[in-house]
Every structure is written in C-alpha cells, then in structure tokens.
Amino acid sequence: MNAKDIFNRLWKDYTKQNPSAKKVYDLFTSAGEEVQNDHIAFRTFDDKRVNIEVLARPFLKSGYEEKGDYHFKQKHLYAKHYEHISDNSMPRVFISQLISGDFSEFLQKTVQGIVDQIPEKSLASDELIYSGRLWEKPSYEIYQKLREESEYAAWLYVYGFRANHFTVNINALKKFDSIQKVNRFLKDHGFLMNDSGGEIKGTPEELLEQSSIKSEIIKVDFKEGTYEIPACYYEFARRYPDESGRLYSGFIAKSADKIFESTDFYKKNQTK
Ligand code: NI
C-alpha cells in the first residue's frame, strides 16, 4: 500500500471514532485553508512482537526512513520518528512505546496477557496499525488500575492499534500564521485545549511549538458495562528554521511529555 492510502485509511478510522477531529478539519477548510499533516502518532508497548519496529514496517515499505529517537523519562516512553525519503509534503510518522519494565508487575503482566491474545497472523500483517484492540473486551477495573500508573498504558489497553493523533501543520496554513491564532480560533469554536504545562508546548527558540485539543469523550463497552472515557485528540504544530535556515524536523522530548496528557482521563462536564 502506498503511504497516501495508509494515511487515508487511518484518517477515516480516526475521524469515525473522533468526530470532533473532522469538525476541526472542516473549520479550517471552510476558512479557506488546505489542511496538511505535520505528523501522525502511534502508541505501542515495548514487547518485541508489537514494538516500534513492528509498527514502522508498513511505513518503511512505503518510502519512509528512520530519523530521530527520543526518551520521555517522566512518562517512561521511548519514541522514533520517520520521514518520507523523497516527498516532504508527506507527514512525519511518530511511534512511541511504553517501557514496561519501569512499571509494576501488575502492569507488566497485563501487557503480556493482552499481547499474548493477538493472533499470529495479525502480528505478521501490515494491517496491525489499523487493527484496534486485538484482545478481549477490556475491564473497567483494570483500565482504572492501569491509569494509576500510566494513562498511556490505559489508553492502549482500551483502544489498541490506531492513530493516536493527527497533527495540523500550521506552517502550511495561509491565514493562521501563529499557534496563538490557531488556539484562539479553536477556543472561539468551543474546543477545549489541553493546558497541562501551558496551552503551547515548546518555544520558537526550541524550533517547535505544539498545542492540542482535549480528546473526545466517547462511550466504550467494558466487561462491567458502558463508560465514558477519552479517545483521541487533534494536535497543531508550528516549526521554525534552525541556524542553517532549514525547518526543524524533530520533536522535543521535554515539551512532548506534556502533550501525551491530552488523552488523560477527564469528565465531559469538567472544563479542565
Ligand atoms: Ni504529536
């Protein structure tokens, strides 16, 4: 499958689950903008059967190559980013994995237990990135227990393999020449920003500024019944040129630590 088809398929699935992402997209297009993606992000576990290398496979086959790697110490994550070899209009691909060994035995056993349930055929397939949850219906009790240690692990336990977020490339917008204008526009249209660590993560000096709206709250069927929990979010990124005049293309570990919190649990009627 070529990279464009991969992204179209991921986008379809992502907007079906998170209609607000489509609303944001439509807001920008109706303001006369052509929305391009800065990057698309995935989450996984560090288990060899499903780790970053496994999720990266379909992208490497469709013209992507490995670029940077990152350590998110606070969140106990490791990540790599990939770029298309020749087409710089194609989004970066950002894949992170949870360092399970840093967590409790309960978390490690839960991760192993769910990865054990994934059929061999899915593990070997390039379809893995669209497969969602490939294990039994989640338990709300386990979800809550995972959250105490890692919101990231809890999110993955419920949703499995899919795009965690798409990211609008602010540099490619015509009318919105700052991240502040983008945020204002979103808030004026009723969207809630993730303000953990401030609405804007990163600075022009760091060459990357990012913000995100909070995740959509959706109904999920658990073993114990239906509960409302956060799903995916939409992100916005503005990049600055480095000393050589080239647009910075990496990710900043310090500020991205906070942006992972966009999928943290919150109740719909809360404003924060
Ligand atoms: Ni991101």
Side-chain angles (χ1 to χ4, degrees), residues 38-41 94 164-167 210-211 233 235-237 251 256 259-260:
D38 177 87
H39 65 273
I40 291 155
F94 180 90
N164 171 263
H165 60 272
F166 276 67
T167 307
Q210 296 193 92
S211 65
Y233 63 99
E235 194 169 275
F236 310 88
F251 294 84
I259 215 147
F260 280 108

PDB file of all heavy atoms in Angstrom, residues 38-41 94 164-167 210-211 233 235-237 251 256 259-260, ligand 1:
ATOM      1  N   ASP A  38       1.384  17.542   9.886  1.00  0.00           N
ATOM      2  CA  ASP A  38       2.787  17.614  10.292  1.00  0.00           C
ATOM      3  C   ASP A  38       3.283  16.222  10.669  1.00  0.00           C
ATOM      4  O   ASP A  38       4.356  15.800  10.273  1.00  0.00           O
ATOM      5  CB  ASP A  38       2.920  18.549  11.511  1.00  0.00           C
ATOM      6  CG  ASP A  38       4.343  18.611  12.022  1.00  0.00           C
ATOM      7  OD1 ASP A  38       5.107  19.433  11.504  1.00  0.00           O
ATOM      8  OD2 ASP A  38       4.700  17.805  12.915  1.00  0.00           O
ATOM      9  N   HIS A  39       2.488  15.538  11.469  1.00  0.00           N
ATOM     10  CA  HIS A  39       2.827  14.153  11.807  1.00  0.00           C
ATOM     11  C   HIS A  39       1.600  13.388  12.261  1.00  0.00           C
ATOM     12  O   HIS A  39       0.569  13.981  12.592  1.00  0.00           O
ATOM     13  CB  HIS A  39       3.926  14.079  12.881  1.00  0.00           C
ATOM     14  CG  HIS A  39       3.532  14.624  14.219  1.00  0.00           C
ATOM     15  ND1 HIS A  39       3.657  15.951  14.547  1.00  0.00           N
ATOM     16  CD2 HIS A  39       3.021  14.023  15.323  1.00  0.00           C
ATOM     17  CE1 HIS A  39       3.249  16.137  15.788  1.00  0.00           C
ATOM     18  NE2 HIS A  39       2.845  14.980  16.292  1.00  0.00           N
ATOM     19  N   ILE A  40       1.739  12.068  12.254  1.00  0.00           N
ATOM     20  CA  ILE A  40       0.704  11.165  12.739  1.00  0.00           C
ATOM     21  C   ILE A  40       1.374  10.277  13.771  1.00  0.00           C
ATOM     22  O   ILE A  40       2.493   9.798  13.554  1.00  0.00           O
ATOM     23  CB  ILE A  40       0.112  10.366  11.576  1.00  0.00           C
ATOM     24  CG1 ILE A  40      -0.691  11.342  10.698  1.00  0.00           C
ATOM     25  CG2 ILE A  40      -0.789   9.234  12.062  1.00  0.00           C
ATOM     26  CD1 ILE A  40      -0.811  10.907   9.307  1.00  0.00           C
ATOM     27  N   ALA A  41       0.706  10.119  14.925  1.00  0.00           N
ATOM     28  CA  ALA A  41       1.366   9.431  16.034  1.00  0.00           C
ATOM     29  C   ALA A  41       0.680   8.125  16.415  1.00  0.00           C
ATOM     30  O   ALA A  41      -0.548   8.020  16.385  1.00  0.00           O
ATOM     31  CB  ALA A  41       1.418  10.350  17.247  1.00  0.00           C
ATOM     32  N   PHE A  94       5.324   9.317  13.862  1.00  0.00           N
ATOM     33  CA  PHE A  94       5.918   9.315  15.197  1.00  0.00           C
ATOM     34  C   PHE A  94       5.383   8.101  15.956  1.00  0.00           C
ATOM     35  O   PHE A  94       4.171   7.934  16.099  1.00  0.00           O
ATOM     36  CB  PHE A  94       5.511  10.618  15.902  1.00  0.00           C
ATOM     37  CG  PHE A  94       6.044  10.773  17.295  1.00  0.00           C
ATOM     38  CD1 PHE A  94       7.274  11.396  17.520  1.00  0.00           C
ATOM     39  CD2 PHE A  94       5.328  10.311  18.385  1.00  0.00           C
ATOM     40  CE1 PHE A  94       7.770  11.546  18.806  1.00  0.00           C
ATOM     41  CE2 PHE A  94       5.824  10.455  19.680  1.00  0.00           C
ATOM     42  CZ  PHE A  94       7.037  11.081  19.889  1.00  0.00           C
ATOM     43  N   ASN A 164      -3.133   7.604  17.182  1.00  0.00           N
ATOM     44  CA  ASN A 164      -3.479   8.273  18.436  1.00  0.00           C
ATOM     45  C   ASN A 164      -3.829   9.737  18.171  1.00  0.00           C
ATOM     46  O   ASN A 164      -4.734  10.293  18.762  1.00  0.00           O
ATOM     47  CB  ASN A 164      -2.321   8.171  19.427  1.00  0.00           C
ATOM     48  CG  ASN A 164      -2.540   9.019  20.654  1.00  0.00           C
ATOM     49  OD1 ASN A 164      -2.055  10.146  20.748  1.00  0.00           O
ATOM     50  ND2 ASN A 164      -3.290   8.491  21.611  1.00  0.00           N
ATOM     51  N   HIS A 165      -3.084  10.378  17.281  1.00  0.00           N
ATOM     52  CA  HIS A 165      -3.478  11.716  16.840  1.00  0.00           C
ATOM     53  C   HIS A 165      -2.896  12.048  15.474  1.00  0.00           C
ATOM     54  O   HIS A 165      -1.860  11.528  15.077  1.00  0.00           O
ATOM     55  CB  HIS A 165      -3.099  12.805  17.854  1.00  0.00           C
ATOM     56  CG  HIS A 165      -1.638  12.929  18.157  1.00  0.00           C
ATOM     57  ND1 HIS A 165      -1.011  12.201  19.143  1.00  0.00           N
ATOM     58  CD2 HIS A 165      -0.661  13.704  17.602  1.00  0.00           C
ATOM     59  CE1 HIS A 165       0.276  12.532  19.187  1.00  0.00           C
ATOM     60  NE2 HIS A 165       0.524  13.432  18.249  1.00  0.00           N
ATOM     61  N   PHE A 166      -3.611  12.928  14.802  1.00  0.00           N
ATOM     62  CA  PHE A 166      -3.119  13.586  13.605  1.00  0.00           C
ATOM     63  C   PHE A 166      -2.719  14.990  14.063  1.00  0.00           C
ATOM     64  O   PHE A 166      -3.209  15.490  15.074  1.00  0.00           O
ATOM     65  CB  PHE A 166      -4.221  13.699  12.542  1.00  0.00           C
ATOM     66  CG  PHE A 166      -4.382  12.456  11.701  1.00  0.00           C
ATOM     67  CD1 PHE A 166      -4.842  11.274  12.259  1.00  0.00           C
ATOM     68  CD2 PHE A 166      -4.079  12.479  10.340  1.00  0.00           C
ATOM     69  CE1 PHE A 166      -5.005  10.124  11.482  1.00  0.00           C
ATOM     70  CE2 PHE A 166      -4.238  11.338   9.547  1.00  0.00           C
ATOM     71  CZ  PHE A 166      -4.692  10.162  10.122  1.00  0.00           C
ATOM     72  N   THR A 167      -1.864  15.647  13.302  1.00  0.00           N
ATOM     73  CA  THR A 167      -1.358  16.958  13.700  1.00  0.00           C
ATOM     74  C   THR A 167      -1.372  17.916  12.522  1.00  0.00           C
ATOM     75  O   THR A 167      -0.732  17.657  11.495  1.00  0.00           O
ATOM     76  CB  THR A 167       0.092  16.835  14.218  1.00  0.00           C
ATOM     77  OG1 THR A 167       0.111  15.837  15.227  1.00  0.00           O
ATOM     78  CG2 THR A 167       0.604  18.145  14.762  1.00  0.00           C
ATOM     79  N   GLN A 210       3.784  23.325  19.896  1.00  0.00           N
ATOM     80  CA  GLN A 210       2.655  22.423  19.673  1.00  0.00           C
ATOM     81  C   GLN A 210       1.532  22.723  20.652  1.00  0.00           C
ATOM     82  O   GLN A 210       1.783  23.120  21.777  1.00  0.00           O
ATOM     83  CB  GLN A 210       3.088  20.967  19.883  1.00  0.00           C
ATOM     84  CG  GLN A 210       4.135  20.480  18.904  1.00  0.00           C
ATOM     85  CD  GLN A 210       4.278  18.963  18.953  1.00  0.00           C
ATOM     86  OE1 GLN A 210       3.636  18.237  18.207  1.00  0.00           O
ATOM     87  NE2 GLN A 210       5.107  18.483  19.850  1.00  0.00           N
ATOM     88  N   SER A 211       0.310  22.495  20.207  1.00  0.00           N
ATOM     89  CA  SER A 211      -0.831  22.550  21.117  1.00  0.00           C
ATOM     90  C   SER A 211      -1.792  21.450  20.691  1.00  0.00           C
ATOM     91  O   SER A 211      -1.609  20.829  19.645  1.00  0.00           O
ATOM     92  CB  SER A 211      -1.523  23.920  21.062  1.00  0.00           C
ATOM     93  OG  SER A 211      -2.089  24.116  19.785  1.00  0.00           O
ATOM     94  N   TYR A 233      -7.012  12.655  20.233  1.00  0.00           N
ATOM     95  CA  TYR A 233      -7.012  14.118  20.141  1.00  0.00           C
ATOM     96  C   TYR A 233      -6.424  14.594  18.825  1.00  0.00           C
ATOM     97  O   TYR A 233      -5.886  13.812  18.043  1.00  0.00           O
ATOM     98  CB  TYR A 233      -6.296  14.737  21.334  1.00  0.00           C
ATOM     99  CG  TYR A 233      -4.821  14.402  21.479  1.00  0.00           C
ATOM    100  CD1 TYR A 233      -3.846  15.292  21.048  1.00  0.00           C
ATOM    101  CD2 TYR A 233      -4.406  13.222  22.075  1.00  0.00           C
ATOM    102  CE1 TYR A 233      -2.489  15.013  21.220  1.00  0.00           C
ATOM    103  CE2 TYR A 233      -3.058  12.929  22.239  1.00  0.00           C
ATOM    104  CZ  TYR A 233      -2.103  13.825  21.812  1.00  0.00           C
ATOM    105  OH  TYR A 233      -0.775  13.548  21.966  1.00  0.00           O
ATOM    106  N   GLU A 235      -3.898  17.545  17.112  1.00  0.00           N
ATOM    107  CA  GLU A 235      -2.771  18.356  17.539  1.00  0.00           C
ATOM    108  C   GLU A 235      -2.423  19.400  16.466  1.00  0.00           C
ATOM    109  O   GLU A 235      -2.800  19.242  15.301  1.00  0.00           O
ATOM    110  CB  GLU A 235      -1.585  17.407  17.760  1.00  0.00           C
ATOM    111  CG  GLU A 235      -0.419  17.950  18.511  1.00  0.00           C
ATOM    112  CD  GLU A 235       0.540  16.810  18.880  1.00  0.00           C
ATOM    113  OE1 GLU A 235       0.311  16.158  19.912  1.00  0.00           O
ATOM    114  OE2 GLU A 235       1.486  16.554  18.131  1.00  0.00           O
ATOM    115  N   PHE A 236      -1.671  20.430  16.860  1.00  0.00           N
ATOM    116  CA  PHE A 236      -1.289  21.522  15.957  1.00  0.00           C
ATOM    117  C   PHE A 236       0.185  21.818  16.176  1.00  0.00           C
ATOM    118  O   PHE A 236       0.615  21.928  17.324  1.00  0.00           O
ATOM    119  CB  PHE A 236      -2.159  22.751  16.258  1.00  0.00           C
ATOM    120  CG  PHE A 236      -3.609  22.379  16.284  1.00  0.00           C
ATOM    121  CD1 PHE A 236      -4.204  21.926  17.460  1.00  0.00           C
ATOM    122  CD2 PHE A 236      -4.352  22.352  15.118  1.00  0.00           C
ATOM    123  CE1 PHE A 236      -5.519  21.482  17.484  1.00  0.00           C
ATOM    124  CE2 PHE A 236      -5.665  21.905  15.125  1.00  0.00           C
ATOM    125  CZ  PHE A 236      -6.248  21.473  16.304  1.00  0.00           C
ATOM    126  N   ALA A 237       0.939  21.925  15.095  1.00  0.00           N
ATOM    127  CA  ALA A 237       2.377  22.134  15.254  1.00  0.00           C
ATOM    128  C   ALA A 237       2.874  23.234  14.335  1.00  0.00           C
ATOM    129  O   ALA A 237       2.487  23.312  13.161  1.00  0.00           O
ATOM    130  CB  ALA A 237       3.137  20.838  14.953  1.00  0.00           C
ATOM    131  N   PHE A 251      11.425  16.342  17.205  1.00  0.00           N
ATOM    132  CA  PHE A 251      10.452  16.504  18.274  1.00  0.00           C
ATOM    133  C   PHE A 251      11.216  16.792  19.563  1.00  0.00           C
ATOM    134  O   PHE A 251      12.334  16.322  19.747  1.00  0.00           O
ATOM    135  CB  PHE A 251       9.609  15.238  18.426  1.00  0.00           C
ATOM    136  CG  PHE A 251       8.746  14.991  17.223  1.00  0.00           C
ATOM    137  CD1 PHE A 251       9.261  14.335  16.107  1.00  0.00           C
ATOM    138  CD2 PHE A 251       7.441  15.450  17.183  1.00  0.00           C
ATOM    139  CE1 PHE A 251       8.482  14.131  14.975  1.00  0.00           C
ATOM    140  CE2 PHE A 251       6.657  15.257  16.059  1.00  0.00           C
ATOM    141  CZ  PHE A 251       7.179  14.595  14.952  1.00  0.00           C
ATOM    142  N   ALA A 256       6.977  17.480  24.677  1.00  0.00           N
ATOM    143  CA  ALA A 256       6.045  16.444  24.226  1.00  0.00           C
ATOM    144  C   ALA A 256       5.601  15.561  25.385  1.00  0.00           C
ATOM    145  O   ALA A 256       4.552  14.940  25.340  1.00  0.00           O
ATOM    146  CB  ALA A 256       6.658  15.612  23.117  1.00  0.00           C
ATOM    147  N   ILE A 259       2.280  16.800  26.180  1.00  0.00           N
ATOM    148  CA  ILE A 259       1.227  16.651  25.172  1.00  0.00           C
ATOM    149  C   ILE A 259       0.642  15.240  25.211  1.00  0.00           C
ATOM    150  O   ILE A 259      -0.514  15.033  24.861  1.00  0.00           O
ATOM    151  CB  ILE A 259       1.735  17.097  23.776  1.00  0.00           C
ATOM    152  CG1 ILE A 259       0.596  17.750  23.001  1.00  0.00           C
ATOM    153  CG2 ILE A 259       2.378  15.972  23.004  1.00  0.00           C
ATOM    154  CD1 ILE A 259       1.057  18.858  22.090  1.00  0.00           C
ATOM    155  N   PHE A 260       1.402  14.280  25.740  1.00  0.00           N
ATOM    156  CA  PHE A 260       0.848  12.941  25.920  1.00  0.00           C
ATOM    157  C   PHE A 260      -0.376  12.983  26.840  1.00  0.00           C
ATOM    158  O   PHE A 260      -1.217  12.097  26.813  1.00  0.00           O
ATOM    159  CB  PHE A 260       1.899  11.987  26.516  1.00  0.00           C
ATOM    160  CG  PHE A 260       2.875  11.446  25.520  1.00  0.00           C
ATOM    161  CD1 PHE A 260       4.192  11.886  25.507  1.00  0.00           C
ATOM    162  CD2 PHE A 260       2.482  10.493  24.593  1.00  0.00           C
ATOM    163  CE1 PHE A 260       5.103  11.385  24.590  1.00  0.00           C
ATOM    164  CE2 PHE A 260       3.393   9.979  23.672  1.00  0.00           C
ATOM    165  CZ  PHE A 260       4.704  10.424  23.670  1.00  0.00           C
TER     166      PHE A 260
HETATM  167 NI    NI B   1       2.265  14.676  18.249  1.00  0.00          NI
END
